[in-house]
Amino acid sequence: MNIIVIVFISFGLLFFLGGAIGIIRMPDFYSRLHPAGKLDTLATLSMVIGLALFNLHHFSLGTLLVSIKLFLIVFFVSLASPTATHTIVDAGMRAGLRHWTKKKQRG
Amino acid sequence: MISFFLYVAVGLCLIMLFSMYRVLFGPTVLDRLIGVNAIGSKTVVLLLLIGFLYERVDMFVDIALAYGFLNFVAVIAAARYFHKRKGLYEESFMD
Amino acid sequence: MTAIRNGVSNDVGKPSSTFLKSFFSFLLTFILMLLCWLVLSGIFDPLLLVLAVISSFLVSYYFYDLLFPSMELKFIGIFFRFVQYLPWLIWQIVKANFHVLYVTLHPRMKDLIDPQIITFKTHLKSEMAIVTLANSITLTPGTITVTADNDGVFKVHAIDKASAEGCPGDMLNKVSKIFGETL
């Protein structure tokens, strides 16, 4: 059981690290949103699922309620993160930022 | 297991420092917003880990949930606020 | 408040069916609010239970038409098909994340990515279908929805050529099958 929890949390940490590196390395604003929006969502999901499994070790009503709340966080994050990403993209689009392409880099 | 949680929490803090680079030196306002959003989504998990470290998960899970809501509302409000500001951006990569 | 009431009661001529619909949405909101209260409080004293019933009754009495504006029977089928769609979506999300992780950590990343914005038109009509498709596109392979409007026109920012080509494809079919809007 502990091994499953450790695997989930390590995957979450790996995805968080990838997201942070992606935010630093990507060339422009739009492509920075790809690691920020996707990797962070999946990292949060996997870490919270791991923590919920660890929490269910000692089964009682209190830990069950805490686990339900953790899954509520999972549900909310998976709903809110695409919406926040979409809002930021929309703001950038209306401000008229152009996106980075390969041609521009060569020329 | 508790020491593993401690190491994960320290690692999360280091990753938040990486994201802080984008908040400090981002060329446009929206880049800084992306950094803030990333730090916020890490903070939710960090709060849960702190709850497990102090063995008060039942309290910290509420704080994490409220922080998640607050982060979402803050990002959307900031993005809507910077909606109509054309030409206020530093044009470092536009041409 | 009165304006909302009038809007609800005016839209259909048959009063009995309107009443039944609004009663169903009232009941659903009530149950949802009560469940939220019970999960979030976690204390089962009689006093707090009475308070929970009173407050969720008030909330659902005033705001029953916010969450479920038009309660119809086909929503039940949509709900079950959506639950069946979720495992496939989660598998797609995991695959997409490994792809983005590979692209991000690649040393010559700038040769690998080729950002582009593509536009395509779909036949989706209802708002819920469009929102579902837009969120699914944002979560999966290297694509982010930029704009999506009521006519079903989507603008998508893709990170490389492969994900730009496979964009509407399979996901569009699945979403339109959920909401029963196949052509």
Side-chain angles (χ1 to χ4, degrees):
Chain A
M1 194 67 178
N2 272 345
I3 294 174
I4 302 173
V5 173
I6 287 178
V7 165
F8 266 114
I9 291 180
S10 310
F11 264 111
L13 206 60
L14 179 71
F15 282 133
F16 266 141
L17 186 64
I21 293 174
I23 290 177
I24 292 180
R25 282 190 72 197
M26 285 285 176
D28 82 325
F29 158 70
Y30 293 105
S31 36
R32 263 173 218 144
L33 273 167
H34 286 269
K38 281 192 270 283
L39 290 175
D40 277 7
T41 312
L42 193 77
T44 311
L45 297 199
S46 91
M47 283 188 101
V48 173
I49 286 174
L51 288 177
L53 283 181
F54 176 75
N55 188 46
L56 279 177
H57 264 184
H58 318 286
F59 191 82
S60 69
L61 186 64
T63 59
L64 187 67
L65 274 177
V66 169
S67 288
I68 291 176
K69 278 184 209 171
L70 287 172
F71 277 104
L72 213 60
I73 291 180
V74 166
F75 172 74
F76 175 71
V77 164
S78 62
L79 200 67
S81 175
T83 315
T85 309
H86 175 72
T87 318
I88 299 176
V89 168
D90 200 29
M93 207 67 185
R94 292 198 190 199
L97 292 181
R98 261 174 263 161
H99 62 282
W100 184 88
T101 50
K102 259 186 186 166
K103 234 180 256 170
K104 218 174 273 176
Q105 188 200 23
R106 281 186 199 129
Chain B
M1 205 62 186
I2 290 302
S3 55
F4 175 69
F5 282 163
L6 194 61
Y7 291 139
V8 171
V10 172
L12 270 182
C13 289
L14 290 181
I15 292 171
M16 278 156 90
L17 280 184
F18 282 152
S19 310
M20 194 60 106
Y21 170 83
R22 193 46 76 192
V23 178
L24 291 179
F25 301 106
T28 70
V29 177
L30 293 172
D31 285 311
R32 295 165 204 262
L33 202 56
I34 296 172
V36 169
N37 190 12
I39 289 180
S41 67
K42 288 170 187 63
T43 310
V44 174
V45 179
L46 190 65
L47 277 173
L48 291 176
L49 283 173
I50 290 173
F52 276 100
L53 287 180
Y54 284 104
E55 298 184 344
R56 291 295 306 274
V57 200
D58 46 348
M59 187 173 76
F60 273 90
V61 75
D62 291 338
I63 303 175
L65 192 58
Y67 188 81
F69 275 102
L70 202 61
N71 184 34
F72 174 59
V73 172
V75 167
I76 285 202
R80 286 286 146 185
Y81 178 69
F82 292 116
H83 228 171
K84 293 171 183 157
R85 307 202 151 191
K86 226 171 214 180
L88 270 186
Y89 299 91
E90 304 165 28
E91 306 187 348
S92 62
F93 62 86
M94 282 194 53
D95 284 307
Chain C
M1 202 49 59
T2 51
I4 298 174
R5 286 286 165 65
N6 288 337
V8 166
S9 60
N10 278 343
D11 59 2
V12 189
K14 291 169 283 187
S16 65
S17 80
T18 315
F19 174 75
L20 211 62
K21 270 180 188 174
S22 59
F23 181 72
F24 267 124
S25 45
F26 167 78
L27 202 66
L28 222 57
T29 315
F30 181 74
I31 292 171
L32 206 66
M33 292 295 137
L34 202 60
L35 277 181
C36 274
W37 175 291
L38 288 182
V39 167
L40 285 180
S41 96
I43 306 169
F44 297 100
D45 287 347
L47 172 68
L48 281 178
L49 283 185
V50 171
L51 280 181
V53 169
I54 291 174
S55 53
S56 42
F57 176 80
L58 281 179
V59 167
S60 47
Y61 180 73
Y62 283 121
F63 302 113
Y64 63 92
D65 47 357
L66 277 185
L67 269 181
F68 306 99
S70 64
M71 192 60 209
E72 291 168 32
L73 273 184
K74 69 175 185 185
F75 281 176
I76 300 170
I78 285 177
F79 179 75
F80 281 109
R81 270 173 287 173
F82 184 72
V83 169
Q84 285 172 0
Y85 165 71
L86 277 182
W88 182 81
L89 182 67
I90 290 172
W91 173 237
Q92 291 294 113
I93 289 172
V94 172
K95 271 200 316 195
N97 276 292
F98 275 107
H99 179 235
V100 174
L101 197 65
Y102 169 74
V103 167
T104 305
L105 297 181
H106 199 275
R108 285 177 287 105
M109 176 198 63
K110 288 193 177 175
D111 297 336
L112 217 61
I113 65 173
D114 183 15
Q116 48 193 303
I117 290 186
I118 56 175
T119 309
F120 61 91
K121 183 164 172 33
T122 64
H123 54 269
L124 297 178
K125 287 285 185 303
S126 67
E127 286 179 2
M128 221 156 45
I130 290 174
V131 168
T132 308
L133 183 61
N135 272 1
S136 307
I137 284 176
T138 302
L139 279 173
T140 47
T143 46
I144 287 182
T145 312
V146 178
T147 57
D149 55 10
N150 278 333
D151 306 328
V153 179
F154 283 77
K155 236 181 190 178
V156 171
H157 181 267
I159 200 167
D160 58 2
K161 205 167 251 176
S163 51
E165 278 163 1
C167 182
D170 217 4
M171 192 171 287
L172 176 61
N173 292 337
K174 294 212 176 219
V175 170
S176 57
K177 204 178 287 173
I178 288 175
F179 291 93
E181 296 189 9
T182 43
L183 270 183

